[in-house]
Amino acid sequence: MVKKVAIVGAGPSGVLLAHYLLHRQEQYQIDIFDFRSDPRTVAFSKSRTFSIVLSQRGINALQQIEGLEEAVKAISLETNGAVLHQKNGKTRVFSRSYSQLSLDRTSLVIQLLEQLAIKGSNQVNLHFNHECTQVDFAAKQVKFKQLDTDAEITVNYDLLIGADGARSVVREGFLQTDNFQCEQNYVVNDYKSLFLPPLDPKLNLNWQQNKVNSWRLDNSINILLVYQMDSSWSGVILFPHKDKTIPELTTKQEVLNYFRQNFPEIAQVLPASEAEDFANRPVSRVLTVRCNRYHHGDSVLLIGDAAHGVSPSLGQGCNAALEDVNIFNQILDECADNLAVAVEKFSLQRQADGIALVELSDYAFPTSKKLFVELLLRNRLSKYFFPIFPKFFLPSLFELVAEGKLSYSEIFNLYQDWIAKVKKSNQQILAKM
Ligand SMILES: Cc1cc2nc3c(=O)[nH]c(=O)nc-3n(C[C@H](O)[C@H](O)[C@H](O)COP(=O)(O)OP(=O)(O)OC[C@H]3O[C@@H](n4cnc5c(N)ncnc54)[C@H](O)[C@@H]3O)c2cc1C
């Protein structure tokens, strides 16, 4: 019998799941709903998208579906580490032994949707401008408001997937069920997107196209920029929520003055038009999510940010969201598509990883300058000595997270002393702010 799957959220995890289910011998009729417009036809707002880096963990999940890795690579650039630009004009380079893919989050979604359309299957229906408003787990029904017409529709399902991001409405439905615990916290850093034009060669700037370029002030304000396919640069400025300096830059001139004083290298590239847009762009806040289970009953599952929203600091949210889909697919194989068994098994297998990833992402990077230097030193020691003395040195935390051979909980267990140390220090600093 064909099973009806309602996926709420056409983000990376929701659309990738549709690809995977399509490969499961026509057992599924899939409907994907998203409250946004179709990004393939409606130009997306710059303030709503950002560059992401996909590491091997996320790429592994794409590789399982024929043609997806190649299609995503075609719209990505390769990066292989990071470069820290210091005040004295010098740089510190952190190279990785393997490449990652850098691309825009919405472009990734568009590519996944286009690849789905190429398959031309009548098993998948896309419903944009449909906002999920209510779930009724007992009746196995989910309600949507059609944003074009204000009409309400009710959809029956055999499997409901909450792939609707960190502010998930499907997850809200779990709050009405027994023994569900969920902790939501805002990440200490807020962010604003930043978009810069191609560099003028006359400026002779040492920005590296195959690395994430970063600039960090002593007050923890941090800029990350990534080279784009059209030769421009895009990224974010991250700043502690309590520090109102960036939100209070409300005019073009204030923005230009701020960059000249604090990020003079970037100020040379910042056009007045972007300074104006930057002043008007909203500040974004990121929510972290820790849940004690990801399934309800025999027919509801949370994946991606809906299950484990994380701070972007380690660049793993999307990787983990794509990995969720791969893991759920493996579980469907193991239990011959018995959905009741599969959703529960996913929770049991993945929940510890979700919590570990939230902790790793919150506390891998210290706020304290002293601990930051220690982090750099540890990373360097890992790189050189782990291959020679694996009994005495740990592999680099960042490489472990990116390559995806170990689960997030295994990595957390290896690095729990460091995470505990950073957590204590970061919390002390935050309390004094
Ligand atoms: C600044 C920044 C940088 C990042 N960098 C990286 C990185 O380098 N690497 C990385 O791996 N991750 C990164 N991330 C995290 C990554 O973007 C997310 O983890 C990833 O997008 C999660 O995918 P998802 O499919 O679970 O959810 P989302 O991408 O959040 O998609 C959820 C979808 O659900 C829809 N939706 C929400 N509510 C409803 C509703 N009620 N009804 C209908 N539809 C709904 C939304 O419109 C959206 O399309 C970054 C995040 C930020 C903010």
Side-chain angles (χ1 to χ4, degrees):
M1 205 182 76
V2 173
K3 293 164 187 159
K4 276 179 69 86
V5 182
I7 301 178
V8 183
S13 62
V15 184
L16 184 65
L17 180 63
H19 276 277
Y20 270 83
L21 292 179
L22 259 188
H23 278 247
R24 301 196 67 78
Q25 297 162 357
E26 302 197 22
Q27 297 188 70
Y28 297 102
Q29 177 64 45
I30 306 147
D31 287 273
I32 312 183
F33 301 86
D34 203 292
F35 63 34
R36 298 240 164 91
S37 308
D38 185 342
R40 292 168 301 172
T41 52
V42 178
F44 51 90
S45 148
K46 271 189 161 186
S47 61
R48 283 225 191 101
T49 195
F50 39 79
S51 278
I52 58 171
V53 174
L54 284 186
S55 62
Q56 197 52 45
R57 198 180 281 274
I59 297 168
N60 286 345
L62 298 174
Q63 276 169 348
Q64 309 308 314
I65 305 292
E66 203 188 331
L68 274 195
E69 183 191 7
E70 295 71 22
V72 170
K73 274 192 170 162
I75 54 155
S76 308
L77 291 168
E78 292 206 346
T79 62
N80 61 8
V83 53
L84 179 63
H85 296 262
Q86 300 177 120
K87 268 191 206 142
N88 56 11
K90 290 190 179 156
T91 52
R92 244 176 215 266
V93 176
F94 307 94
S95 293
R96 287 192 192 271
S97 46
Y98 48 83
S99 290
Q100 301 183 307
L101 300 179
S102 128
L103 75 168
D104 178 87
R105 179 228 171 254
T106 307
S107 303
L108 169 64
V109 172
I110 291 173
Q111 190 63 299
L112 293 176
L113 287 169
E114 281 176 353
Q115 293 300 310
L116 204 53
I118 288 171
K119 290 180 180 149
S121 167
N122 57 10
Q123 276 175 260
V124 185
N125 292 308
L126 297 169
H127 311 267
F128 289 99
N129 302 312
H130 277 65
E131 181 180 5
C132 175
T133 51
Q134 217 181 320
V135 287
D136 182 342
F137 295 156
K140 296 196 179 175
Q141 287 184 334
V142 53
K143 284 195 166 58
F144 295 92
K145 185 170 156 189
Q146 263 177 326
L147 298 177
D148 301 334
T149 59
D150 264 2
E152 190 180 76
I153 62 160
T154 302
V155 172
N156 295 310
Y157 63 80
D158 297 305
L159 175 64
L160 172 65
I161 299 287
D164 49 343
R167 291 166 177 82
S168 166
V169 170
V170 177
R171 192 182 66 237
E172 267 176 35
F174 279 56
L175 295 171
Q176 317 303 323
T177 66
D178 288 341
N179 301 324
F180 179 67
Q181 284 155 20
C182 179
E183 190 186 321
Q184 301 180 41
N185 294 298
Y186 281 114
V187 172
V188 282
N189 285 328
D190 294 352
Y191 75 92
K192 263 194 179 199
S193 302
L194 183 63
F195 300 93
L196 299 175
L199 297 187
D200 179 346
K202 282 187 226 131
L203 291 173
N204 215 8
L205 295 173
N206 185 17
W207 297 12
Q208 301 198 15
Q209 296 178 0
N210 59 353
K211 302 228 170 354
V212 176
N213 289 257
S214 72
W215 292 257
R216 187 182 157 102
L217 299 181
D218 290 344
N219 58 4
S220 298
I221 296 183
N222 196 5
I223 291 186
L224 302 174
L225 285 175
V226 183
Y227 186 64
Q228 302 298 304
M229 281 195 128
D230 63 358
S231 309
S232 68
W233 296 79
S234 89
V236 286
I237 180 162
L238 297 151
F239 48 93
H241 177 69
K242 287 185 175 176
D243 187 332
K244 297 299 170 206
T245 316
I246 304 294
E248 283 171 5
L249 302 174
T250 53
T251 66
K252 174 177 78 181
Q253 202 50 50
E254 284 169 4
V255 172
L256 290 170
N257 291 345
Y258 175 82
F259 276 84
R260 275 180 205 135
Q261 277 163 26
N262 296 283
F263 297 101
E265 224 182 296
I266 297 174
Q268 295 178 70
V269 186
L270 181 68
S273 56
E274 169 60 12
E276 178 131 31
D277 290 348
F278 183 86
N280 294 325
R281 211 165 275 145
V283 169
S284 299
R285 301 198 75 185
V286 179
L287 202 59
T288 65
V289 177
R290 293 170 171 84
C291 305
N292 65 339
R293 63 179 152 88
Y294 297 154
H295 78 292
H296 173 70
D298 57 2
S299 56
V300 191
L301 190 66
L302 303 173
I303 59 171
D305 277 8
H308 41 67
V310 295
S311 146
S313 65
L314 269 184
Q316 279 298 304
C318 191
N319 285 287
L322 301 179
E323 190 180 54
D324 278 353
V325 177
N326 194 6
I327 288 174
F328 184 56
N329 187 56
Q330 286 164 14
I331 291 174
L332 285 174
D333 283 344
E334 286 159 22
C335 65
D337 291 86
N338 181 330
L339 294 178
V341 175
V343 293
E344 184 175 8
K345 209 168 170 203
F346 181 87
S347 257
L348 290 173
Q349 189 169 326
R350 196 60 170 157
Q351 188 263 355
D353 285 340
I355 300 283
L357 177 60
V358 180
E359 288 286 300
L360 287 167
S361 301
D362 273 354
Y363 301 116
F365 288 100
T367 309
S368 132
K369 216 174 160 187
K370 196 171 135 223
L371 281 188
F372 192 72
V373 173
E374 184 181 332
L375 172 73
L376 300 181
L377 191 67
R378 276 172 177 257
N379 205 42
R380 186 149 290 211
L381 289 175
S382 294
K383 203 171 149 198
Y384 292 116
F385 292 115
F386 170 71
I388 315 169
F389 305 114
K391 278 193 181 157
F392 301 103
F393 289 88
L394 287 174
S396 150
L397 168 63
F398 306 105
E399 303 241 333
L400 283 178
V401 161
E403 66 188 7
K405 288 183 188 152
L406 294 187
S407 68
Y408 293 119
S409 19
E410 287 168 317
I411 299 169
F412 179 79
N413 288 341
L414 287 177
Y415 268 92
Q416 56 184 308
D417 292 348
W418 170 249
I419 296 297
K421 188 171 176 178
V422 175
K423 188 172 186 170
K424 191 173 163 197
S425 158
N426 282 10
Q427 286 175 345
Q428 281 169 350
I429 293 172
L430 193 65
K432 284 186 206 150
M433 276 174 124

